Amino acid sequence: MKFQKWNIGTPDERDVALLRSAGYPCLLSTVLAARGITSAEAAAEFLERSRKLTHSPMLLKDMDKAVERIQRAISQKETIAVFGDYDVDGITSTVLLRDYLQSCGVKCLRYIPRRIEDGYGLSEDAIRGLHDQGATLMVTVDCGITGNEEVDFANSLGMDVVITDHHECKENLPAAVAVVDPHRADCPYPFKHLAGVGVALMLVLALGGESREDALFARYCTLAAIGTIADVMRMEGENRTIVSCGLEALPHTDFVGVHALLKEAGLLGKPITSIQIGFVLSPRINAAGRMGAADLAADLLETSDPARAEELAKELCELNRERQAVEQAICADAVEKIGRLSNEERSALVLSSERWHQGVVGIVASRLSEKYACPSFMIHLKDGTGKGSCRSYGGFNLFAALESCADLLDGFGGHELAAGFTIPEGNIDAFRQRMNRYVRSASGGEVPVSCLDIDAAITCPAEMTLSEAEHLSYLEPYGAGNPRPTLALLGATVDSIQPVGQGRHLKLRLSKGTCRFDAIFFSVTEEECGICAGSRVDAAFYLQANTFRGNTTLQLQLIDIRPSLTPSRHEAADLELLDRLTGGGRLTAQETARLGASREQFAAFWVALERRLRQGKLETERLPFLRRLASQGGGTESFLRAGLAVRVFAERGLLSLADGDETVTLSLNPIQGKVDLNACPYLMRLHGCAARNGGDGL
């Protein structure tokens, strides 16, 4: 199990039926109902993909000032510098704005910081360099909102600054000509979740004017879509429009670098969804910034030379492979460090090392947050200073948490779910202690567990067809607030399991009733999976069409798999029989015989239980626990008799037993002397029944 808890939605059957009667396919209706979309009108509104942005870019606070200053620079042939960021959002923002400004005939400089040498955001050295090259106006994209001192420095040089950003604002804004950020407290723009590239797009649309909005949106929506998906923005409102139109325009975009990267990644000519952008294209662009070569990705997106684009795309993909290797090494080191942390230090993971690559720690922080169900803070150390990247978990507000520790930091920036910070090495221990206290306080002292949100469990496996899987794509584009549909198949059987991809992945065959399904479990080994052929399991998955050698079939892309928490018919009958025995209900002679465990079986069950419980209290899922215990007893009716043994041991006081909805908690009791199991009333009833002639039951 990758996730400790599954939250499985239970859509109302009447809502599903209503949507189906309106003509929506079965699984699509199920997912819509699970997400609270329960009428035909609401479904039509949600699934509608608008082709036009709803709000005027001029609603953004200071947009009028930004437009006036930039248009003046264009008309007076000033040199303009675009200052971006080194992630996908920042790179696409930089390319988008610079492409537009160059089309206006102005000289436009580009500056993207090097992640390791320069760090995040504005810097005086960079500003001085741009000024020395003749820039009289600097426009920031996806950064700058916390650069108060740097903007003051630019002003002192006589360089005007226009800031466009989408990160959280501090109380005092920089003294720029214009500060365009939807998160400004005084910004009336209704949609607050634009990516940095979304704000840059709005700036270009405002500069072009209403008459050119459609043409400019058509040119730049693909770049804006890539940046929006990569920055994991909420997939609703304006973002949904940007991404929908951007994906549709992708095959015929004017940016030849995008085509070259699609080709190198093996996606050219294939249908592209938000999934491919998020998991294939974006990591390759992002790798450039993480490995200290963000300009390489910007060069790729800016070039108009197909041969040069092909060359740069190959370099980018090679950088991504290098990044993956570095990431795996850091992750292994971090997991080892976590093993040495105390329980008080596991509410927020604060880890540091001089060996870690500064550009990759953010990705590892994401992995750790998911794996350990808590916020993660990964810090690269150099010369007594730590540069950290942090990632949230469960909606925890990182920006507010960093603000609470501001006195320990040299600086920080970002938003609720992802942020960066700088910290003196000597403050890391204090930061770790305070951040752990903050997280525990915010969570009410509860121990976090990794959770998987599942839209619904499939009640009729026959309804999972290739056609139904394709209809789920109506929900695209996916993203925060509109995740890819996650479904569960409960009580399935593993018919076969085999490693593929040089042992890095697993291919499974699952069945339930007469239905059979192929499944793939990426980046999981047989040992990690812990499931074998013949096991009864619950599977959580994405439903997808898989094309191999021209043949398209249905496939389950597994997210998690666990021993099933739903009983089979035989197990349910056994549990009902045990309830009748312990509750004083009537038993037949045949049922009494089935319950007749031997002394050797009881002994085997006790040895297995005592060995495990001597390690401490056990809290686990009831059915998988009984199945494991049953395997220790051997013989027929082992599941039934394992359940009986546990109840007998508990009644005799050998152990404490507490039942939850799906869990069981057991612990050993201190006992002196021997305990007579035959004195248990459950066994006395069984012995009495067996002694009766005819075996008519109790």
Side-chain angles (χ1 to χ4, degrees), residues 193-472:
H193 305 291
L194 289 171
V197 71
V199 180
L201 175 64
M202 295 300 169
L203 175 61
V204 166
L205 298 182
L207 288 166
E210 288 187 26
S211 64
R212 296 186 63 201
E213 269 193 19
D214 290 347
L216 291 172
F217 182 74
R219 175 165 177 77
Y220 295 119
C221 62
T222 293
L223 286 180
I226 293 171
T228 299
I229 294 169
D231 226 43
V232 199
M233 293 293 99
R234 291 192 65 80
M235 202 53 65
E236 58 190 40
E238 308 286 61
N239 287 342
R240 189 168 173 84
T241 300
I242 289 169
V243 173
S244 295
C245 295
L247 291 175
E248 185 177 327
L250 190 65
H252 48 266
T253 179
D254 293 335
F255 292 92
V256 299
V258 173
H259 294 289
L261 192 55
L262 287 171
K263 179 181 179 181
E264 189 63 26
L267 295 176
L268 195 64
K270 298 181 179 179
I272 306 297
T273 69
S274 58
I275 305 302
Q276 284 79 31
I277 297 294
F279 291 94
V280 181
L281 212 63
S282 294
R284 285 162 168 77
I285 300 173
N286 211 17
R290 293 195 175 279
M291 304 307 288
D295 282 311
L296 178 65
D299 288 344
L300 170 66
L301 296 179
E302 287 184 352
T303 186
S304 58
D305 180 356
R308 175 64 174 156
E310 185 175 334
E311 177 186 330
L312 291 170
K314 290 182 184 297
E315 290 185 43
L316 216 55
C317 289
E318 180 56 39
L319 267 180
N320 188 53
R321 287 187 284 271
E322 182 183 338
R323 186 270 307 167
Q324 290 172 325
V326 172
E327 176 190 335
Q328 290 172 2
I330 296 175
C331 198
D333 192 23
V335 169
E336 185 179 338
K337 287 179 180 291
I338 292 169
R340 299 196 293 268
L341 294 176
S342 66
N343 289 336
E344 290 73 25
E345 297 172 321
R346 291 191 177 219
S347 298
L349 301 176
V350 179
L351 308 170
S352 62
S353 174
E354 293 181 346
R355 300 191 304 272
W356 294 343
H357 193 294
Q358 182 184 332
V360 182
V361 291
I363 304 179
V364 177
S366 296
R367 303 279 187 269
L368 297 179
S369 290
E370 180 178 311
K371 181 179 178 68
Y372 294 98
C374 64
S376 297
F377 302 76
M378 294 286 288
I379 304 169
H380 162 78
L381 293 174
K382 184 177 181 182
D383 300 329
T385 297
K387 293 186 176 180
S389 290
C390 50
R391 297 295 184 270
S392 177
Y393 184 82
F396 177 77
N397 190 325
L398 283 174
F399 196 81
L402 290 173
E403 280 189 315
S404 75
C405 299
D407 58 303
L408 297 175
L409 306 175
D410 288 335
F412 66 94
H415 46 77
E416 293 183 4
L417 303 182
F421 60 96
T422 306
I423 183 171
E425 183 175 0
N427 288 355
I428 291 177
D429 287 342
F431 177 77
R432 179 183 296 111
Q433 294 172 17
R434 192 187 299 181
M435 188 57 70
N436 271 273
R437 287 197 301 269
Y438 185 95
V439 172
R440 284 194 293 272
S441 176
S443 64
E446 294 184 8
V447 178
V449 296
S450 54
C451 298
L452 175 63
D453 292 326
I454 298 170
D455 287 294
I458 298 298
T459 56
C460 181
E463 292 174 340
M464 289 201 297
T465 65
L466 192 57
S467 174
E468 288 284 344
E470 290 170 344
H471 286 141
L472 287 176

Side-chain angles (χ1 to χ4, degrees), residues 410-682:
D410 288 335
F412 66 94
H415 46 77
E416 293 183 4
L417 303 182
F421 60 96
T422 306
I423 183 171
E425 183 175 0
N427 288 355
I428 291 177
D429 287 342
F431 177 77
R432 179 183 296 111
Q433 294 172 17
R434 192 187 299 181
M435 188 57 70
N436 271 273
R437 287 197 301 269
Y438 185 95
V439 172
R440 284 194 293 272
S441 176
S443 64
E446 294 184 8
V447 178
V449 296
S450 54
C451 298
L452 175 63
D453 292 326
I454 298 170
D455 287 294
I458 298 298
T459 56
C460 181
E463 292 174 340
M464 289 201 297
T465 65
L466 192 57
S467 174
E468 288 284 344
E470 290 170 344
H471 286 141
L472 287 176
S473 66
Y474 293 164
L475 293 164
E476 276 271 16
Y478 305 132
N482 182 43
R484 189 176 181 184
T486 302
L487 303 169
L489 190 62
L490 307 180
T493 300
V494 178
D495 294 335
S496 64
I497 181 170
Q498 65 181 90
V500 294
Q502 299 177 328
R504 293 174 296 153
H505 317 300
L506 290 176
K507 183 177 181 181
L508 301 91
R509 182 80 166 168
L510 303 178
S511 63
K512 186 169 184 181
T514 60
C515 298
R516 303 287 185 272
F517 302 100
D518 289 324
I520 188 74
F521 205 172
F522 289 118
S523 302
V524 174
T525 65
E526 278 191 280
E527 183 179 359
E528 291 170 334
C529 184
I531 298 294
C532 60
S535 299
R536 181 177 172 82
V537 299
D538 297 335
F541 56 89
Y542 303 128
L543 197 61
Q544 63 185 20
N546 179 52
T547 301
F548 181 69
R549 294 179 179 174
N551 184 36
T552 300
T553 58
L554 185 70
Q555 184 180 64
L556 315 185
Q557 183 183 327
L558 296 183
I559 307 167
D560 200 5
I561 195 167
R562 68 184 185 188
S564 182
L565 304 190
T566 59
S568 65
R569 285 195 298 270
H570 182 76
E571 290 171 340
D574 285 351
L575 294 173
E576 188 274 335
L577 176 55
L578 286 172
D579 287 341
R580 270 193 286 128
L581 169 66
T582 57
R586 181 178 178 81
L587 303 177
T588 67
Q590 182 181 16
E591 289 171 337
T592 302
R594 290 181 58 212
L595 284 162
S598 67
R599 180 182 181 86
E600 289 74 18
Q601 279 184 310
F602 269 95
F605 292 141
W606 176 249
V607 168
L609 273 172
E610 185 184 36
R611 182 169 56 244
R612 170 59 187 84
L613 294 179
R614 285 197 182 281
Q615 302 172 23
K617 182 173 70 173
L618 173 65
E619 183 174 358
T620 185
E621 292 83 5
R622 181 190 300 104
L623 286 172
F625 158 72
L626 286 177
R627 293 180 192 124
R628 290 192 298 269
L629 183 61
S631 67
Q632 306 296 318
T636 60
E637 305 291 356
S638 56
F639 180 85
L640 175 64
R641 292 170 182 176
L644 173 62
V646 171
R647 298 192 188 199
V648 169
F649 296 151
E651 192 282 330
R652 291 286 80 196
L654 291 168
L655 53 81
S656 294
L657 171 66
D659 280 323
D661 292 337
E662 294 180 335
T663 62
V664 61
T665 303
L666 302 102
S667 58
L668 286 177
N669 290 331
I671 297 293
Q672 292 184 349
K674 291 187 177 181
V675 174
D676 183 7
L677 296 185
N678 287 322
C680 174
Y682 311 148

Side-chain angles (χ1 to χ4, degrees), residues 675-698:
V675 174
D676 183 7
L677 296 185
N678 287 322
C680 174
Y682 311 148
L683 296 185
M684 292 174 66
R685 292 190 66 215
L686 290 175
H687 295 157
C689 180
R692 285 190 172 88
N693 293 328
D696 291 331
L698 300 176

Side-chain angles (χ1 to χ4, degrees), residues 111 118 122-132 150 153:
Y111 188 87
D118 303 323
L122 307 180
S123 69
E124 292 187 4
D125 287 343
I127 292 169
R128 183 183 292 107
L130 293 170
H131 178 264
D132 291 345
E150 291 80 5
F153 177 73

